[in-house]
Amino acid sequence: MTSPETPETLDVLRRVFGYDAFRDGQREIIEHVSAGGDALVLMPTGGGKSLCYQIPALVRKGTGIVISPLIALMQDQVDALRTLGVQAGFLNSTQDLDERRVVEAQFVAGELDLLYLAPERLRLPATVDLLDRANVSLFAIDEAHCVSQWGHDFRPDYLMLSGLHERWPDVPRIALTATATEATRHEIATRLNLDATAPNTRHFVASFDRPNIQYRIEPKTDAKRQLLRLLQTEHKDDAGIVYCLSRNSVEKHAAFLTENGIEALPYHAGLDAQTRAANQARFLREDGLVIVATIAFGMGIDKPDVRFVAHLDLPKSVEGYYQETGRAGRDGLPSTAWLAYGLQDVVNLRKMIDGGEGDAAFRRRQTQHLDAMLALCETVECRRVHLLNYFGQPGAPCGNCDTCLTPPESWDATVAAQKVLSVIVRLDRERRQKFGAGHIIDILLGKKSAKVIQFDHDSLKPFGVGTELREVEWRAVVRQLLAQGLIAVESNHGTLLQTEASADVLRGQRKVMMRREPDRPTPKAAKAAKDRKPPIDLAPEAAPLFERLRAWRAATAKEQGVPAYVIFHDATLREIATALPSTLTELSQINGVGENKLAKYGEDVLKTLTE
Ligand SMILES: Nc1ncnc2c1ncn2[C@@H]1O[C@H](COP(=O)(O)OP(=O)(O)OP(=O)(O)O)[C@@H](O)[C@H]1O
Ligand SMILES: [Mg+2]
Ligand SMILES: [Zn+2]
């Protein structure tokens, strides 16, 4: 494959990693850093940031140092590189002295292409001394948003990384993150001395679109059942992540799925470290497991075949939602990002913000984050366009989100809004009482249970003025009023209050438009997802072969004690099952089959195909 015209970087991509072509943006970054430039890289989750420092490290003389906070994943990352024939090692607190000595010796002897380092090790003078004694080709600062004090992943040790440049001015640095906002980018650039105006420093901002992810957000009716239906009808035997807000909810839903024949493991900060590590390792290593987790789970997880990410509670920000859903479909195959959200989510989060810690400015920021998340939920436009615009990028209706596939209607809800508001106002004015959403809806529907509330003026009696809508529809109205800031939640009891803006609605000076859910729910979107052609189409006759290859991969992974995807990705196995290579040369043409893997697994794969 190598020809004199092939640039060295492309040659490494093909020979070592077995990929045909660079993804968008990779080539430029890799060439800039290989030539000794500094870079700040913003690329979505699963976008392919690792290659942006791995290839320069292979091309340049010396060892590439990778600073990463994800200690628990270092072993897997190093295993994956070794399977590719790359000389890699790591240094962190999980090793004993002897293990560290071996790696240090290899490093100083120039035997390593890449060395993964936990940031806290740089605090040790011994580490600085070690770096001085070896030949360093570059510093890669992965998960660079950890340097941002306002971000949720702040790591104090990351602040020390600003000193790398002064101490080793000739070593190029590349900082990488999937956090997309402008504000974070500026903070990273400032703290790491990677200003775009600095000599030989460039910022690379990739598109944040993830075309293979289908975004779907639906009203929560019975979360458990909705989740079960999604998994049973669309994601049978698929690996996926289910996010919940509380530990309790994690435990409950993991048990529920398991009872229903779907193997699910819990993951949250309340579990002891050993159980957490064991559950994470199983999720990474085995095929088709579901992990039910709090948001403590997921950063840097390079499991390429996560087919769905389901949220059972509303994320607190669009940034969080984007990061979490981004863990689906890193291999580029069709995947689902599904969120169920309801009135109670909005009430709970508003209460949490009002009753939570932090000063007024902090609460205001949290409120802004929540409002942005609600706007995404209630939009009648394409979800993807909405997301991209939020990150300051353009987009066109995608045809692969729920609003594109089954467009919701937008309807004039002004009268409905006035009815809800007048109940709230009258209860407050006449009875000096405030009530939650359930009670207010009962009054609108004229339910007997609500009649215990006496009104002074019979003529104003609001009982049963809302029989034109069903209960679920009223809940949707209240939810959207909350989302639009036309009613507020009192933090202690979750009772509903009017806001300044609601007066305009009551006076008829403001029109209220709302989203009406199309009568689906899932079937149509689900069908569309199935009908869509995955990037590598799997013909029905190829399916049994694909399964056989997967079984071979599972057995091999177990034998070698590595995650299955370290051997080959699903996408690679699908391509093999379709192309049916009969010789090693033919097999080497498949995406994801590099020299080392060909030598290691080639014969076995061919044998599996002819069995
Ligand atoms: N040019 C390419 N061709 C084919 N596959 C690629 C290419 N570049 C990267 N990949 C694959 O894409 C997947 C995601 O890459 P990577 O782990 O680098 O993501 P990332 O950008 O670091 O994401 P995160 O923010 O989650 O860490 C990997 O499995 C990788 O092998
Ligand atoms: Mg990464
Ligand atoms: Zn769309």
Side-chain angles (χ1 to χ4, degrees):
M1 238 189 289
T2 321
S3 80
E5 300 94 70
T6 317
E8 203 182 352
T9 52
L10 185 59
D11 181 49
V12 171
L13 178 78
R14 291 182 175 161
R15 208 165 28 82
V16 178
F17 295 91
Y19 296 136
D20 281 345
F22 284 118
R23 288 198 185 147
D24 270 358
Q26 283 178 330
R27 192 184 51 78
E28 273 182 293
I29 300 166
I30 289 169
E31 274 168 15
H32 176 73
V33 176
S34 297
D38 287 341
L40 172 56
V41 172
L42 273 72
M43 211 186 251
T45 317
K49 289 185 286 298
S50 316
L51 286 185
C52 295
Y53 56 82
Q54 287 168 347
I55 293 182
L58 291 174
V59 169
R60 291 175 63 83
K61 283 209 172 55
T63 306
I65 303 292
V66 186
I67 319 269
S68 164
L70 308 168
I71 292 171
L73 301 173
M74 284 184 182
Q75 181 73 58
D76 283 352
Q77 283 170 327
V78 164
D79 285 345
L81 286 164
R82 291 211 177 122
T83 312
L84 294 168
V86 175
Q87 303 306 314
F90 66 87
L91 289 175
N92 69 32
S93 53
T94 66
Q95 295 159 305
D96 61 35
L97 195 62
D98 286 343
E99 287 172 311
R100 276 207 296 271
R101 288 238 167 93
V102 172
V103 178
E104 287 174 7
Q106 290 175 327
F107 176 41
V108 174
E111 289 164 10
L112 294 181
D113 301 312
L114 282 156
L115 176 65
Y116 284 76
L117 208 61
E120 61 272 16
R121 299 219 72 78
L122 286 169
R123 241 190 284 134
L124 309 171
T127 307
V128 176
D129 179 53
L130 185 71
L131 290 171
D132 276 335
R133 280 189 287 141
N135 187 4
V136 178
S137 63
L138 60 85
F139 287 110
I141 302 164
D142 206 3
E143 312 292 344
H145 59 278
C146 291
V147 80
S148 157
Q149 274 167 324
W150 298 114
H152 49 289
D153 290 323
F154 175 61
R155 314 272 165 131
D157 286 328
Y158 261 63
L159 291 176
M160 284 184 310
L161 301 178
S162 64
L164 291 179
H165 188 50
E166 282 116 66
R167 175 84 203 200
W168 295 281
D170 298 329
V171 180
R173 295 166 305 145
I174 170 172
L176 312 101
T177 179
T179 303
T181 52
E182 279 277 293
T184 322
R185 179 178 26 149
H186 285 303
E187 196 179 349
I188 296 171
T190 310
R191 292 196 186 279
L192 295 180
N193 291 314
L194 281 170
D195 218 70
T197 55
N200 212 8
T201 302
R202 286 183 63 186
H203 287 189
F204 298 89
V205 183
S207 165
F208 272 75
D209 189 16
R210 298 285 311 279
N212 60 312
I213 297 183
Q214 182 176 84
Y215 295 102
R216 282 156 46 189
I217 300 179
E218 62 180 61
K220 199 188 276 185
T221 45
D222 179 349
K224 275 186 182 162
R225 295 283 144 204
Q226 287 170 285
L227 175 69
L228 193 60
R229 192 177 55 210
L230 174 80
L231 302 205
Q232 286 174 337
T233 58
E234 294 177 56
H235 289 289
K236 216 166 168 310
D237 300 327
D238 281 346
I241 307 174
V242 177
Y243 281 114
C244 304
L245 211 55
S246 71
R247 298 171 185 186
N248 184 19
S249 166
V250 164
E251 293 287 350
K252 208 176 65 191
H253 286 100
F256 171 77
L257 288 179
T258 306
E259 276 159 28
N260 283 278
I262 295 170
E263 199 165 6
L265 308 170
Y267 186 103
H268 58 72
L271 294 169
D272 62 86
Q274 238 170 0
T275 311
R276 264 200 330 258
N279 287 356
Q280 170 169 311
R282 278 195 64 197
F283 177 68
L284 293 177
R285 277 170 169 67
E286 295 174 31
D287 281 328
L289 277 186
V290 174
I291 196 137
V292 185
T294 55
I295 55 170
F297 179 80
M299 185 165 64
I301 296 273
D302 178 26
K303 186 173 169 63
D305 56 353
V306 174
R307 290 276 72 85
F308 66 87
V309 170
H311 280 96
L312 291 180
D313 294 296
L314 191 66
K316 288 177 193 156
S317 67
V318 177
E319 284 87 343
Y321 171 77
Y322 178 79
Q323 294 276 325
E324 286 141 30
T325 54
R327 289 167 192 147
R330 296 163 65 91
D331 53 10
L333 297 176
S335 309
T336 312
W338 179 86
L339 157 68
Y341 105 108
L343 177 56
Q344 203 54 42
D345 285 312
V346 190
V347 173
N348 289 346
L349 284 179
R350 289 247 194 263
K351 269 165 63 177
M352 248 159 82
I353 293 173
D354 288 343
E357 295 161 19
D359 56 12
F362 178 71
R363 281 205 291 273
R364 197 163 344 109
R365 236 186 352 259
Q366 283 188 311
T367 303
Q368 284 165 354
H369 278 307
L370 175 58
D371 286 344
M373 188 61 221
L374 291 171
L376 173 66
C377 292
E378 302 293 359
T379 184
V380 290
E381 316 287 348
C382 169
R383 308 265 191 213
R384 193 180 313 274
V385 170
H386 191 103
L387 267 175
L388 288 172
N389 291 349
Y390 182 79
F391 294 123
Q393 298 190 342
C398 70
N400 191 25
C401 72
D402 53 357
T403 58
C404 282
L405 291 165
T406 32
E409 288 166 33
S410 126
W411 63 292
D412 185 340
T414 312
V415 174
Q418 287 168 338
K419 287 181 180 175
V420 173
L421 286 170
S422 62
V423 173
I424 292 174
V425 170
R426 279 176 197 169
L427 282 173
D428 187 22
R429 190 191 302 145
E430 296 177 18
R431 307 297 312 152
R432 305 248 165 263
Q433 277 177 307
K434 297 181 179 67
F435 290 92
H439 225 104
I440 287 163
I441 292 169
D442 284 352
I443 294 174
L444 286 163
L445 291 171
K447 284 204 183 155
K448 276 209 185 75
S449 58
K451 290 223 173 178
V452 290
I453 303 158
Q454 298 289 314
F455 285 89
D456 295 343
H457 308 288
D458 260 3
S459 58
L460 294 179
K461 224 163 69 173
F463 285 112
V465 295
T467 47
E468 74 277 22
L469 295 182
R470 289 173 299 145
E471 183 167 341
V472 280
E473 292 168 317
W474 278 117
R475 289 187 75 82
V477 169
V478 174
R479 189 188 75 220
Q480 294 185 66
L481 284 172
L482 268 166
Q484 296 186 22
L486 292 171
I487 49 183
V489 183
E490 192 260 338
S491 46
N492 286 334
H493 302 99
T495 53
L496 301 179
L497 313 168
Q498 49 178 330
T499 66
E500 269 172 47
S502 35
D504 291 344
V505 177
L506 277 171
R507 269 188 251 118
Q509 287 165 348
R510 175 167 170 173
K511 195 163 140 180
V512 183
M513 296 304 290
M514 284 189 186
R515 174 188 163 102
R516 195 195 311 271
E517 295 309 318
D519 272 332
R520 314 169 257 210
T522 26
K524 202 172 162 194
K527 190 168 168 302
K530 281 215 188 84
D531 288 349
R532 251 174 331 108
K533 282 204 166 72
I536 302 150
D537 203 5
L538 195 62
E541 60 273 20
L545 265 184
F546 174 65
E547 290 311 325
R548 212 192 296 158
L549 287 165
R550 262 169 70 129
W552 162 79
R553 181 181 66 179
T556 312
K558 196 152 188 200
E559 206 178 280
Q560 305 185 349
V562 296
Y565 60 80
V566 162
I567 297 180
F568 286 121
H569 285 185
D570 275 2
T572 303
L573 294 190
R574 292 171 79 120
E575 211 178 315
I576 295 173
T578 309
L580 296 176
S582 58
T583 63
L584 285 176
T585 314
E586 281 172 24
L587 182 60
S588 74
Q589 306 298 311
I590 307 273
N591 239 320
V593 185
E595 272 178 0
N596 208 57
K597 287 193 182 175
L598 187 71
K600 213 162 167 179
Y601 305 119
E603 296 289 355
D604 281 0
V605 169
L606 295 180
K607 213 161 72 208
T608 308
L609 285 176
T610 52
E611 257 165 17

